[in-house]
Amino acid sequence: MRVDKLLTSVGAASRSEAAKAAARGEIKVNNVTLRRSDVHVDPERDEIIYKGEKIVYKEFVYIMLNKPDGYVSATDDPQEKTVLDLLPEKYKRLGLFPCGRLDKNTLGLIILTNDGTGAHRVLAPKNHVPKTYRFECECKLEDKDIEMLANGITLDDGYVTKDAVIKTDDGAKSGDITITEGKYHQIKRMFAAVNNRITYLERVSFGDIALDGSLERGEWRELTQQEEKLFK
């Protein structure tokens, strides 16, 4: 791989920036200063230093973000703030996108990646990847409401949801709901179908990956190696 392509693939520099950096002697490979950015390197074996920082190559990047209120799950929007706006410029160059969407006012776990194949796999309906949400609702959920929500309920467009798992707190106006699909505004529409209204919604897990409790709203981190394995 050419060193300029490597720097571009990790978001460290554009190709033109890499060329200028090489001319200034700011790129080293195995402690040898390069003067051209089209030199081929092995990212798995060679040590590449760019402006004093070691470059670690990854084919794909996976980021856990604690989504705050008011951000849309998109890569670009002419009017709204997007989840990518919460990342440093370095990561915006990597072609990241949200793996599954959260509504603008829904909070919590969202995974950003540039692994299109992996994202397609975990989002495919046939794989039934569970997603758990913390909810609060306007009215107390009666036993019959919980049964209807758990066993599949008909939404306003006639779609019948798949089975869900619901665990309510004392008072039955809050709890956790786990679904294996992701229709538009699905949980809000499910509650509307039992004449109720969601007032708070936060995704707390995606498959076996749980939201890191140390992340404040708007904060992020890369997935650990174990979490990457779970995602893949």
Side-chain angles (χ1 to χ4, degrees), residues 25-226:
E26 295 174 337
I27 302 175
K28 291 184 177 182
V29 177
N30 300 328
N31 211 32
V32 176
T33 300
L34 301 186
R35 292 297 176 179
R36 293 170 46 193
S37 62
D38 60 353
V39 175
H40 284 262
V41 296
D42 183 342
E44 302 295 335
R45 297 183 179 182
D46 295 330
E47 181 183 66
I48 297 97
I49 304 296
Y50 174 69
K51 293 186 176 181
E53 293 189 10
K54 183 176 180 179
I55 298 299
V56 178
Y57 173 73
K58 285 187 174 183
E59 183 179 9
F60 299 117
V61 174
Y62 306 90
I63 286 176
M64 173 187 295
L65 172 70
N66 187 348
K67 180 186 171 298
D69 187 20
Y71 285 78
V72 297
S73 299
T75 56
D76 182 63
D77 192 288
Q79 298 177 323
E80 303 282 0
K81 296 175 293 185
T82 77
V83 289
L84 288 181
D85 291 330
L86 295 163
L87 302 180
E89 191 62 37
K90 167 186 174 180
Y91 286 91
K92 296 179 183 179
R93 298 172 172 175
L94 300 181
L96 300 174
F97 57 89
C99 181
R101 295 177 178 270
L102 291 180
D103 300 339
K104 179 179 177 180
N105 301 120
T106 299
L107 313 173
L109 174 61
I110 193 163
I111 294 174
L112 304 168
T113 186
N114 50 6
D115 181 359
T117 300
H120 177 76
R121 182 175 59 251
V122 299
L123 294 173
K126 66 180 181 180
N127 290 328
H128 308 297
V129 175
K131 295 164 278 286
T132 300
Y133 297 77
R134 184 72 185 164
F135 72 86
E136 294 176 7
C137 56
E138 192 169 65
C139 306
K140 175 183 177 181
L141 286 170
E142 303 295 341
D143 290 344
K144 62 179 179 60
D145 299 328
I146 296 172
E147 184 178 357
M148 291 173 67
L149 292 168
N151 295 331
I153 191 165
T154 304
L155 303 183
D156 49 3
D157 61 357
Y159 178 80
V160 179
T161 63
K162 291 182 171 60
D163 290 354
V165 177
I166 303 178
K167 299 177 182 178
T168 57
D169 302 327
D170 290 343
K173 292 180 67 175
S174 62
D176 297 299
I177 180 170
T178 300
I179 61 175
T180 59
E181 48 193 345
K183 300 297 181 182
Y184 179 72
H185 291 319
Q186 179 170 333
I187 295 175
K188 294 176 181 177
R189 292 164 65 203
M190 289 171 68
F191 276 68
V194 293
N195 299 311
N196 209 326
R197 187 173 72 87
I198 288 288
T199 58
Y200 174 88
L201 195 60
E202 175 187 16
R203 184 156 66 195
V204 295
S205 69
F206 187 105
D208 292 322
I209 300 173
L211 178 62
D212 186 336
S214 69
L215 291 178
E216 300 291 339
R217 298 287 184 224
E219 291 186 339
W220 61 274
R221 65 165 173 79
E222 292 193 26
L223 295 189
T224 65
Q225 287 186 343
Q226 179 61 26

